[in-house]
Amino acid sequence: MRPYESYVYAYPHKTAYRPLNPRPLLTDVWADEPKDALFHYVHIPFCEVRCGFCNLFTRTGAGPDLVTSYLDTLERQATQVREQVGDAKFAQSAIGGGTPTYLAAHELERLLNLTRPTTGEIPLSVETSPDTATPDRLALLAERG
């Protein structure tokens, strides 16, 4: 299966935007912005099924290798953002998608471990599905607040 098979997206395609030349540093972009009460969002693009109402980037049937690769990329991005915008303070955090509880409990724990250093212990919401809200996943989410 190709990655974008049955892919529906209601926003302009990424090629519709002009390249940023030269590429600005996040420290410059955020230099004059208030950073004391930001909203933190992490998108998990994996689902068991594609809902008819969804217009977000999602992928059904993703295997463990793709999930691991995605989490590796999120970890690199989180590290870079912390280095560039380290003085940011977050007021709320959400993990959405997709279906974050599509991740196995150990993958979900890895996700929380890489996002919590950025956000701290603030209110967190996580989108779930009844089919993937298993006792081990829910216990982990409850334990981590």
Side-chain angles (χ1 to χ4, degrees), residues 84-144:
Q84 295 293 311
V85 194
D87 58 341
K89 303 285 184 253
F90 294 89
Q92 294 180 325
S93 182
I95 302 173
T99 310
T101 53
Y102 178 89
L103 303 180
H106 72 277
E107 295 164 334
L108 193 54
E109 183 172 31
R110 179 179 177 201
L111 174 64
L112 293 172
N113 287 342
L114 70 93
T115 59
R116 282 310 205 184
T118 300
T119 62
E121 296 298 322
I122 59 170
L124 171 67
S125 65
V126 180
E127 291 183 31
T128 63
S129 162
D131 290 336
T132 59
T134 58
D136 59 339
R137 291 174 177 120
L138 293 177
L140 172 67
L141 292 173
E143 173 187 308
R144 300 298 287 277

Side-chain angles (χ1 to χ4, degrees), residues 41-46 54 56-59 70 74 94-100 111 127:
Y41 175 76
V42 176
H43 184 75
I44 302 299
F46 308 119
C54 180
L56 299 173
F57 177 74
T58 59
R59 169 82 189 272
Y70 190 79
L74 277 178
I95 302 173
T99 310
L111 174 64
E127 291 183 31

